[in-house]
Amino acid sequence: MKCFSRYLPYLFRPSSTILSSSCHTEADIISTVEFNPTGELLATGDKGGRVVVFQREQESKNQPHRRGEYNVYSTFQSHEPEFDYLKSLEIEEKINKIRWLPQQNAAYFLLSTNDKTVKLWKVSERDKRPEGYNLKDEEGRIRDPTTITALRPMDLMVEATPRRVFSNAHTYHINSISVNSDYETYMSTDDLRINLWNLEITNRSFNIVDIKPANMEMLTEVITAAEFQPSQCNTFVYSSSKGSIRLCDMRASALCDNHSKLFEEPEDPSNRSFFSEIISSISDVKFSHSGRYLMTRDYLTVKVWDLNMESKPLETYQVHDYLRSKLCSLYENDCIFDKFECVWNGSDSVIMTGSYNNFFRMFDRNTKRDVTLEASRENSKPRAILKPRKVCVGGKRRKDEISVDSLDFSKKILHSAWHPSENIIAVAATNNLYIFQDKVN
Amino acid sequence: MEYKVEAHRIMSISLGKIYNSRVQRGGIKLHKNLLVSLVLRSARQVYLRDYYGGICLSAQQAREWCEGEYMDSEQDKLVPGSTESLPESDGQSEVAVDKQEPSNVVESHAALDVESEASGEQDHAENGVLDSGCSELKTPEESPEASPTCEVSNVVTTISSNCISGPPPSNPKQATETPNGCQTDDGESVEEKLHEPIVPHTCTNRKRSADDSELTDSLPKKTKVMSSTLISKNDEKKAETEEMDTSNVSSLITIFGSSFSGLLSSEDGAQPDSEAEDSDSGQICCDQMLKNLNPWSTAIVAF
């Protein structure tokens, strides 16, 4: 019997295994997490340029308690470090984003990108192999040519092959990629430009947004993220470091420098500080599955926007407002530059985003309830329920609460993903991947 | 003073980040460096504003010393205020402008009397706009008045009863001179002349270093700390002051005659002017800091 509440708090349980590398090096830090459109596969990219794909186990009568667990399906090296000799710059192999293509045949396709190059990978299974090459059989008779080679079963092998490499189109660092709903094109976004590609063509891309000023000294804002609208192939949005989001229609003109809509909330003058500009910079933008709403994440808040209302967000949720008084020290230790991502659940009723101390937060848009959960080994015994956590802001600290000064700022959850239809979440905490499912066995 | 030290610290940290970004793996991250330079700009504005407050104050002071008898009478009024507390001035903007305040309050009164038709409305508006931070300035001409009067407005109640007995007859002259002195090119030459007598003793006090204490030592003669009540008010109004930074920056920029467009162009635009001021006044301890910003602008251009 399966029962879980429709609204928060969900009862999340960890799987029996926490997927992580045994020894923690910088290269093992997970830099992106993404479910494929069916939720059957989960891909992670790390700083070492590797992609690990997990597959959900099928239901089996023999081991019912292992239903729905994710196991490693394929691992491959997507990007290698490169050196730009012209600029004397090293190009990091860190995978910035992975996006899955919808499945059209037996193979799976995903796009992975580092700072400069996007690659299309095909992940496919092989369970048969051709055997038999002798033209004559054992007794010396010539064999019928049509029976020389036959496919024989073999152990299942999953292989990943690069099918396309889209390179040399970006001067600045690529921060996001987004597959269009037409399944033919996708866009890649760097700090100042957005390029549109055809999935089949690697030697040509079209520039659709260019905000580079004629004089670089006049630079005031950069693009931080961009995404296609999930159902309209002509519409996309991009967010800026100034806290604004622009919606563009590709039918209007070839170069979408002029936005169709501008979503911006005026700054609250009472909150002004040295760091106001930094904390208003948007780190992630995501359309809802319905395509009607937009979610943006800046340093301290998550906002949900209605595409029909540009003047202010529909909802604003405080993720960790207790950090507002600590901005100076967060600036010193560089934490203020952390780019948190945000995700919708399948029904667009709950949104989730990460915080520090391996905390992540969920906000139910309907009941306005929110919960703080922690991704840690101690709290993640199999089949245990995740206990809500609380940060104590001031005054007396209760027993289970943690004070702001005790937060570990080196443990941050920047990347997470939510299964497209079920209540399964994948949370990346540094080099560990936690998968939580909401169900009762 | 706290936020001046804070501003200086943030500037150092920001410059350190920009420097380190040049050697980190993966090349210079445009977004992060843009944000760091925004913080650097804000901190610099606060830092320079305090300093500029001191310069303007010294200009005021010198003019006052130069003029005649009525100046002595003013000083008589001011001296009781000055002996109240020592020039501990840690460079708080309110503190730095304290000495200016009486004369400015006088100015504003005078302005109301004399220039009531022309600018009276605006003065009223300024005085009425007290706590909103004076962030909206009607005209550039108003801004130099706006900044001191903004800060004045915070403590006008405490000061006015103490210092001001009534506008001396030659105040209109003072009122008309002062805004000019702070604004136009003619004013700048006036300022330069005024800077000269000041230069010697500022030179002795200031060194070309990032040491705040030396800078504050140079300000004492110009600043009169009114009272501890002022300081407590200053703490409360700190948030407002940061708001006022915008207005003070605008006044700074108009005074220097540069436009405020773009990020680095503002820095670049302000830089040559501030460097010009450097040559006038001799040494400014953040001169090094300002000069260091040049490599960054070339780095940006390199993109």
Side-chain angles (χ1 to χ4, degrees):
Chain A
M1 184 183 80
K2 187 169 68 174
C3 61
F4 54 88
S5 55
R6 280 191 78 205
Y7 305 109
L8 283 187
Y10 293 132
L11 304 175
F12 275 101
R13 304 165 185 278
S15 353
S16 56
T17 54
I18 294 167
L19 306 149
S20 73
S21 45
S22 47
C23 51
H24 174 192
T25 62
E26 170 111 0
D28 297 325
I29 296 175
I30 298 172
S31 51
T32 183
V33 185
E34 185 82 359
F35 278 100
N36 80 332
T38 59
E40 184 201 349
L41 298 180
L42 174 67
T44 63
D46 63 22
K47 269 194 161 184
R50 286 178 304 244
V51 172
V52 181
V53 180
F54 302 91
Q55 186 186 44
R56 195 174 184 193
E57 275 203 24
Q58 301 306 314
E59 273 193 61
S60 85
K61 295 194 183 74
N62 298 336
Q63 294 180 320
H65 63 279
R66 288 187 66 82
R67 176 190 177 280
E69 303 248 330
Y70 282 83
N71 298 316
V72 178
Y73 181 62
S74 171
T75 304
F76 56 92
Q77 184 77 31
S78 170
H79 287 73
E80 298 274 0
E82 289 172 45
F83 197 79
D84 180 344
Y85 294 98
L86 197 62
K87 293 185 185 174
S88 290
L89 287 178
E90 193 178 0
I91 300 170
E92 273 191 290
E93 67 277 25
K94 173 169 80 92
I95 307 292
N96 291 334
K97 281 290 187 314
I98 289 176
R99 289 286 182 264
W100 288 95
L101 266 57
Q103 196 175 4
Q104 288 169 325
N105 52 32
Y108 304 102
F109 288 88
L110 61 83
L111 286 170
S112 71
T113 183
N114 69 347
D115 282 340
K116 297 285 183 183
T117 305
V118 185
K119 292 188 184 180
L120 176 69
W121 286 88
K122 174 181 173 186
V123 181
S124 52
E125 293 179 9
R126 189 188 292 274
D127 61 355
K128 297 187 181 57
R129 70 163 163 243
E131 280 180 8
Y133 301 97
N134 291 329
L135 296 174
K136 296 182 183 173
D137 63 13
E138 290 89 9
E139 283 135 35
R141 286 192 293 263
I142 294 179
R143 292 167 78 169
D144 175 7
T146 60
T147 63
I148 289 176
T149 310
L151 287 174
R152 304 248 185 268
M154 58 177 268
D155 291 338
L156 179 65
M157 189 174 82
V158 181
E159 54 186 13
T161 47
R163 303 297 294 175
R164 306 271 186 278
V165 177
F166 306 91
S167 55
N168 297 325
H170 286 281
T171 311
Y172 305 98
H173 298 307
I174 297 175
N175 52 52
S176 45
I177 47 176
S178 178
V179 183
N180 202 346
S181 50
D182 64 7
Y183 302 152
E184 282 187 13
T185 56
Y186 76 95
M187 65 176 172
S188 56
T189 311
D190 68 24
D191 291 320
L192 297 178
R193 298 192 178 99
I194 303 182
N195 292 334
L196 184 72
W197 301 83
N198 184 305
L199 284 164
E200 300 292 329
I201 300 169
T202 59
N203 60 358
R204 191 166 36 181
S205 78
F206 296 95
N207 176 243
I208 53 177
V209 173
D210 187 343
I211 65 166
K212 182 177 176 182
N215 182 2
M216 272 302 273
E217 294 184 8
M218 306 292 291
L219 181 72
T220 54
E221 68 181 324
V222 297
I223 301 173
T224 53
E227 195 178 55
F228 271 115
Q229 212 270 1
S231 48
Q232 294 170 17
C233 57
N234 54 285
T235 309
F236 66 93
V237 293
Y238 68 91
S239 59
S240 84
S241 58
K242 274 191 176 172
S244 61
I245 308 104
R246 286 172 175 79
L247 184 136
C248 300
D249 187 334
M250 293 197 290
R251 297 170 301 189
S253 66
L255 190 60
C256 300
D257 278 358
N258 297 320
H259 53 264
S260 302
K261 292 196 183 187
L262 173 65
F263 300 88
E264 201 171 25
E265 187 178 26
E267 190 192 342
D268 181 6
S270 63
N271 279 335
R272 184 133 178 81
S273 73
F274 284 127
F275 310 104
S276 298
E277 284 113 342
I278 301 189
I279 62 171
S280 64
S281 174
I282 292 177
S283 53
D284 194 18
V285 64
K286 289 264 172 48
F287 271 102
S288 62
H289 290 92
S290 61
R292 169 120 192 252
Y293 301 103
L294 201 60
M295 170 165 56
T296 59
R297 175 73 156 97
D298 52 57
Y299 191 63
L300 296 177
T301 68
V302 194
K303 294 177 182 170
V304 176
W305 301 77
D306 186 327
L307 285 190
N308 299 320
M309 184 165 72
E310 300 169 55
S311 56
K312 61 183 170 77
L314 203 59
E315 300 146 23
T316 302
Y317 301 95
Q318 302 292 333
V319 182
H320 38 216
D321 202 55
Y322 45 80
L323 296 182
R324 200 178 283 274
S325 53
K326 306 220 174 289
L327 293 179
C328 193
S329 22
L330 292 168
Y331 178 70
E332 281 183 70
N333 63 14
D334 270 359
C335 283
I336 206 173
F337 301 106
D338 288 333
K339 298 195 177 146
F340 291 94
E341 291 175 9
C342 52
V343 290
W344 296 88
N345 75 336
S347 57
D348 299 335
S349 59
V350 180
I351 57 180
M352 176 171 77
T353 188
S355 178
Y356 293 103
N357 209 76
N358 280 352
F359 287 169
F360 57 100
R361 304 259 282 137
M362 286 187 193
F363 303 91
D364 189 322
R365 299 178 58 217
N366 298 321
T367 64
K368 303 299 180 206
R369 289 167 75 175
D370 63 272
V371 68
T372 306
L373 301 172
E374 183 180 358
S376 75
R377 287 181 182 275
E378 295 78 35
N379 298 346
S380 299
K381 304 284 185 305
R383 271 169 289 289
I385 299 174
L386 279 185
K387 205 176 57 170
R389 303 303 309 267
K390 193 147 161 54
V391 176
C392 144
V393 181
K396 280 193 78 171
R397 186 179 76 89
R398 289 203 206 107
K399 196 181 140 203
D400 280 338
E401 290 181 0
I402 181 165
S403 72
V404 180
D405 300 312
S406 319
L407 293 174
D408 187 346
F409 289 95
S410 65
K411 294 186 185 168
K412 52 193 92 166
I413 292 180
L414 304 173
H415 313 286
S416 54
W418 202 308
H419 190 284
S421 48
E422 295 184 35
N423 284 337
I424 304 173
I425 54 175
V427 172
T430 321
N431 65 323
N432 294 322
L433 181 72
Y434 293 84
I435 299 177
F436 301 113
Q437 304 187 35
D438 172 42
K439 57 188 190 164
V440 176
N441 283 319
Chain B
M1 173 54 180
E2 299 103 42
Y3 55 84
K4 189 178 164 98
V5 170
E6 186 71 7
H8 182 266
R9 195 169 75 90
I10 289 175
M11 279 203 289
S12 317
I13 293 169
S14 305
L15 287 171
K17 286 190 197 296
I18 292 175
Y19 182 77
N20 287 333
S21 74
R22 299 170 73 183
V23 299
Q24 77 189 21
R25 216 174 152 235
I28 301 180
K29 304 270 191 298
L30 185 62
H31 183 204
K32 181 176 174 184
N33 282 284
L34 181 70
L35 296 176
V36 170
S37 53
L38 285 170
V39 172
L40 180 62
R41 181 184 68 158
S42 306
R44 183 168 158 272
Q45 285 165 2
V46 170
Y47 191 83
L48 285 183
R49 180 180 58 88
D50 288 344
Y51 178 71
Y52 178 73
I55 290 287
C56 232
L57 195 61
S58 60
Q60 279 281 319
Q61 186 69 7
R63 209 178 294 113
E64 285 160 12
W65 289 113
C66 290
E67 293 195 1
E69 182 186 341
Y70 78 94
M71 292 303 303
D72 294 334
S73 65
E74 275 230 70
Q75 283 162 28
D76 289 339
K77 285 170 207 147
L78 294 167
V79 160
S82 70
T83 54
E84 275 181 26
S85 57
L86 278 176
E88 288 291 282
S89 63
D90 292 327
Q92 265 183 342
S93 60
E94 282 82 0
V95 173
V97 183
D98 280 351
K99 181 64 178 75
Q100 201 178 7
E101 283 159 1
S103 49
N104 279 350
V105 174
V106 171
E107 268 174 47
S108 57
H109 286 305
L112 285 171
D113 295 337
V114 176
E115 306 172 287
S116 55
E117 285 185 10
S119 59
E121 284 176 24
Q122 285 170 329
D123 285 337
H124 278 297
E126 276 162 29
N127 290 331
V129 160
L130 304 183
D131 291 321
S132 66
C134 307
S135 52
E136 310 222 334
L137 301 170
K138 301 236 163 40
T139 60
E141 281 72 30
E142 292 303 321
S143 53
E145 282 181 336
S147 40
T149 49
C150 280
E151 281 145 345
V152 168
S153 65
N154 292 334
V155 294
V156 68
T157 51
T158 56
I159 296 172
S160 55
S161 53
N162 292 341
C163 294
I164 309 305
S165 60
S170 46
N171 269 342
K173 177 183 166 196
Q174 188 185 13
T176 51
E177 274 184 5
T178 314
N180 289 339
C182 284
Q183 276 180 16
T184 59
D185 292 339
D186 294 336
E188 273 181 359
S189 60
V190 170
E191 248 189 314
E192 284 173 33
K193 283 189 222 153
L194 295 170
H195 277 301
E196 283 161 23
I198 300 166
V199 161
H201 82 89
T202 58
C203 278
T204 56
N205 287 340
R206 288 184 211 148
K207 288 185 191 143
R208 185 185 285 265
S209 76
D211 192 353
D212 281 339
S213 58
E214 297 191 10
L215 179 63
T216 60
D217 287 342
S218 65
L219 293 173
K221 292 192 179 164
K222 307 167 192 76
T223 62
K224 311 288 181 186
V225 178
M226 287 307 296
S227 64
S228 54
T229 60
L230 244 190
I231 295 176
S232 60
K233 274 210 177 202
N234 293 339
D235 289 338
E236 291 165 22
K237 300 282 193 283
K238 203 190 271 194
E240 267 179 44
T241 322
E242 299 213 29
E243 248 177 81
M244 292 171 204
D245 290 348
T246 334
S247 65
N248 292 331
V249 168
S250 311
S251 64
L252 267 178
I253 297 303
T254 52
I255 285 157
F256 289 139
S258 61
S259 63
F260 199 66
S261 63
L263 171 64
L264 291 168
S265 64
S266 67
E267 292 185 10
D268 291 345
Q271 271 181 27
D273 294 316
S274 55
E275 283 162 14
E277 191 195 44
D278 288 352
S279 58
D280 291 340
S281 64
Q283 291 145 359
I284 295 178
C285 64
C286 50
D287 186 25
Q288 287 277 354
M289 200 85 69
L290 297 173
K291 287 202 155 74
N292 284 344
L293 291 169
N294 270 327
W296 172 236
S297 63
T298 55
I300 284 276
V301 171
F303 268 115

